[in-house]
């Protein structure tokens, strides 16, 4: 026996309330907390054809089931909510069935997210690296044509770079010339020359003093294309550059050494100072204090960080030393190795705020041969760094004496040195 009103139509299973998900409604006796109220005023009977689902519960509450007949009291309070338990189900105090069920989000696939993040990072780094490479490669001034050099020696093992520091004032303002004490001479001359050999036995850096006595051989004019026969003229090495530029300098070095030069690299005063300033200075350990009015050098002994202006004064000073040009070349080697060592570090390479200004400052004033790639230039730079890394050797070209103020090379030692470099052997020759 149940307490549901007798005047309802249809099967009992079609008239359960929304408070239970059970296929059968619980009786009123089983829910003592529900209070019946007097039946509302009679409403017109719903035509049979319109019977079905009706959401016009008392108080406007939606529900399921056929519309109640006049005088029917559902026993539900207006706005009363039942259940609330997750997953809903029938029974006393049960949830609202499927109507109250919210499906949870799927678990986060962290492995997939990490893979996607790593892939994105690789793609970004690849795009930046490729863009940087083409940006830097486009800045190289490939102005020296080694194809114009005639009667060249045979190539040996390893790679030989001729590194030239010129006194070019190109791009410098009057204020820069005054600050850097470069003067205002027209044209450009070589201020320093070095051969850097990069091979399997470590790098070897050989300085060629500018006052070295050499013979100017026959050569082909770099601009005119005219052939100039050799006359046996003996001059200082820097005169070859002043006479017909880089091509004649390469020709003269190859003729007097027998060593083939694979690449040519030149940098002027302004670019040199800009590179040093871009990396924030170069730390040097100066063993003895010295001054030089002509270069502007004024250094105390000990460790110190040199800016661009001080660095240029350091590598140009010659009159403050007893060995003059020979002592200057040693300082130049020491400084360039320190510059390379302090530039090729993660703090510079991985920091775009230092890397791009440094590369921009150097590449804007760097002059190289037409076959020089950015990769070859990077190899040269790291070989220079290796000179101070314990694997390399630095020396002056062996000198046997002087003649009329010019430094005369020791021909026997030079021949032995060149043979060791050609064969990519460990260098045992000692320079000055």
């Amino acid at each position: 026996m149940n307490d549901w009103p007798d005047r309802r139509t249809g099967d009992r299973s079609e008239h359960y309330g929304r408070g239970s998900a059970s296929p059968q409604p619980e009786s009123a006796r089983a829910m003592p907390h529900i209070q019946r109220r007097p039946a509302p005023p009679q409403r017109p009977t719903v035509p049979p054809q319109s019977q079905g689902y009706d959401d016009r519960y008392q108080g406007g509450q939606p529900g399921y089931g056929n519309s109640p007949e006049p005088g029917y009291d559902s026993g539900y309070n207006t706005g009363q909510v039942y259940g609330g338990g997750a997953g809903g189900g029938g029974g006393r105090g049960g949830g609202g069935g499927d109507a109250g069920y919210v499906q949870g989000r799927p678990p986060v696939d962290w492995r997939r997210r990490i893979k996607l993040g790593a892939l994105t990072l690789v793609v970004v780094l690849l795009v930046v690296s490729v863009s940087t490479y083409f940006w830097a490669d486009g800045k190289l001034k490939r102005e020296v044509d080694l194809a114009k050099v005639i009667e060249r020696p045979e190539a040996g093992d390893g790679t030989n770079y001729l590194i030239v520091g010129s006194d070019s004032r190109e791009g410098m303002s009057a204020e820069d010339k005054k600050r850097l004490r470069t003067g205002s001479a027209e044209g450009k001359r070589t201020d320093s020359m070095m051969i850097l050999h990069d091979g399997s036995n470590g790098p070897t850096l050989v300085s060629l003093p500018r006052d070295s006595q050499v013979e100017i051989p026959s050569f082909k004019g770099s601009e005119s294309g005219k052939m100039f026969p050799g006359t046996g003229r003996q001059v200082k090495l820097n005169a070859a550059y002043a006479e017909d530029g880089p091509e004649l300098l390469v020709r003269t070095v190859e003729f007097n050494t027998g060593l083939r030069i694979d690449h040519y690299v030149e940098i002027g005063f302004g670019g040199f100072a800009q590179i040093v300033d871009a990396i924030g200075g170069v730390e040097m350990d100066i063993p003895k204090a010295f001054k030089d009015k002509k270069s502007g050098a004024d250094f105390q002994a000990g460790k110190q960080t040199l800016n661009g202006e001080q660095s240029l004064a350091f590598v140009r000073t010659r009159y403050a030393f007893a060995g003059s040009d020979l002592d200057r070349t040693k300082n130049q080697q020491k400084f360039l190795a320190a510059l390379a060592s302090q530039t090729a570090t993660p703090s510079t390479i991985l920091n775009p705020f230092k890397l791009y200004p440094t590369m921009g400052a150097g590449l804007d004033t760097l002059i190289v041969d037409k076959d020089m790639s950015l990769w070859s230039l990077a190899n040269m730079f790291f070989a220079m760094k290796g000179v101070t890394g314990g694997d390399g050797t630095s020396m002056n070209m062996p000198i046997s004496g002087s003649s009329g103020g010019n430094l005369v090379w020791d021909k026997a030692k030079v021949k032995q040195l060149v043979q060791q470099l050609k064969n990519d052997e460990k260098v045992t020759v000692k320079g000055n």
Side-chain angles (χ1 to χ4, degrees):
M1 180 177 180
N2 63 59
D3 293 328
W4 290 85
D6 294 330
R7 289 174 297 175
R8 60 189 179 83
T9 61
D11 186 73
R12 181 191 305 178
S13 63
E14 297 177 358
H15 294 279
Y16 59 90
R18 64 191 290 242
S20 173
S22 172
Q24 297 293 338
E26 295 186 276
S27 68
R29 290 177 182 178
M31 296 186 289
H33 59 287
I34 298 178
Q35 302 297 324
R36 295 183 178 278
R37 298 190 302 174
Q42 260 187 341
R43 293 181 294 178
T45 303
V46 179
Q49 65 272 21
S50 65
Q51 291 184 3
Y53 286 95
D54 183 15
D55 57 1
R56 293 177 295 168
Y57 258 79
Q58 295 182 22
Q61 296 297 321
Y64 294 97
N66 294 332
S67 300
E69 297 181 19
Y72 170 74
D73 181 15
S74 69
Y76 282 78
N77 289 329
T78 302
Q80 187 166 359
V81 179
Y82 293 91
R92 185 177 295 125
D98 292 339
Y101 176 74
V102 178
Q103 187 176 4
R105 295 180 179 178
V108 177
D109 189 347
W110 287 108
R111 183 176 296 179
R112 183 171 179 271
R113 288 193 176 188
I114 291 173
K115 287 182 178 179
L116 288 175
L119 180 61
T120 301
L121 180 60
V122 169
V123 171
V124 170
L125 290 176
L126 182 62
V127 171
V128 171
S129 299
V130 171
S131 300
T132 300
Y133 182 90
F134 283 105
W135 166 78
D137 190 71
K139 278 183 165 290
L140 284 178
K141 297 180 180 179
R142 297 181 173 92
E143 300 177 0
V144 180
D145 189 359
L146 296 184
K148 295 179 179 179
V149 180
I150 63 174
E151 301 176 19
R152 310 195 67 189
E154 291 185 4
D157 295 329
T159 305
N160 299 312
Y161 301 86
L162 180 60
I163 304 172
V164 175
S166 77
D167 63 0
S168 172
R169 282 84 171 168
E170 184 179 352
M172 296 175 62
S173 65
E175 183 179 347
D176 290 335
K177 294 175 184 177
K178 182 178 180 180
R179 177 174 59 86
L180 299 176
R181 296 174 181 260
T182 64
S184 300
E186 296 297 327
K188 58 182 181 180
R189 286 149 294 278
T190 52
D191 203 60
S192 61
M193 291 158 285
M194 304 178 187
I195 293 175
L196 174 65
H197 174 81
D198 184 20
S200 58
N201 280 292
T204 301
L205 186 62
V206 183
S207 287
L208 310 176
R210 57 181 287 179
D211 293 339
S212 297
Q213 181 169 294
V214 295
E215 178 183 340
I216 297 292
S218 59
F219 68 96
K220 183 178 180 180
S222 59
E223 296 295 334
S224 65
K226 180 181 177 181
M227 290 297 300
F228 294 88
T231 60
R233 284 188 298 140
Q234 299 289 316
V235 298
K236 291 183 179 180
L237 182 58
N238 64 343
Y241 183 96
E243 187 171 331
D244 199 48
E247 287 85 357
L248 179 54
L249 177 61
V250 171
R251 166 69 174 141
T252 303
V253 169
E254 289 186 343
F255 177 82
N256 285 270
T257 62
L259 185 68
R260 186 184 180 97
I261 300 299
D262 298 298
H263 291 294
Y264 178 92
V265 181
E266 177 186 327
I267 189 167
F269 282 162
F272 180 84
Q274 289 172 21
I275 292 175
V276 175
D277 286 334
I279 66 169
V282 174
E283 185 179 65
M284 293 291 298
D285 188 0
I286 300 176
K288 186 178 180 181
F290 65 89
K291 282 185 178 184
D292 182 19
K293 291 183 178 180
K294 290 191 175 182
S295 67
D298 186 1
F299 298 105
Q300 300 299 316
K303 288 186 177 180
Q304 49 204 286
T305 300
L306 310 185
N307 61 24
E309 179 182 349
Q310 293 170 323
S311 299
L312 189 57
F314 180 83
V315 299
R316 292 181 64 207
T317 299
R318 61 185 298 194
Y319 297 107
F321 308 126
S324 188
D325 203 33
L326 291 177
D327 285 342
R328 179 173 69 165
T329 56
K330 293 176 182 177
N331 278 344
Q332 290 172 347
Q333 291 178 347
K334 185 186 300 183
F335 182 88
L336 290 178
L339 174 63
S341 179
Q342 294 173 40
T343 303
T345 60
S347 62
T348 298
I349 296 174
L350 300 179
N351 183 353
F353 297 102
K354 291 185 70 175
L355 176 63
Y356 285 94
T358 301
M359 292 180 66
L363 296 174
D364 280 341
T365 57
L366 208 62
I367 296 174
V368 298
D369 64 272
K370 293 184 180 294
D371 295 327
M372 172 74 84
S373 67
L374 195 62
W375 182 257
S376 296
L377 186 64
N379 285 339
M380 184 203 79
F381 191 75
F382 281 97
M384 182 74 76
K385 179 182 178 181
V387 172
T388 56
D391 297 328
T393 302
S394 61
M395 58 184 291
N396 276 320
M397 187 63 82
I399 304 296
S400 61
S402 62
S403 175
N406 297 342
L407 298 174
V408 179
W409 292 353
D410 187 323
K411 292 184 179 181
K413 287 186 176 180
V414 169
K415 184 177 180 179
Q416 183 183 359
L417 171 63
V418 169
Q419 195 63 35
Q420 289 176 344
L421 295 177
K422 273 188 172 184
N423 296 335
D424 201 16
E425 300 172 350
K426 185 175 180 59
V427 173
T428 59
V429 178
K430 301 298 182 182
N432 295 76

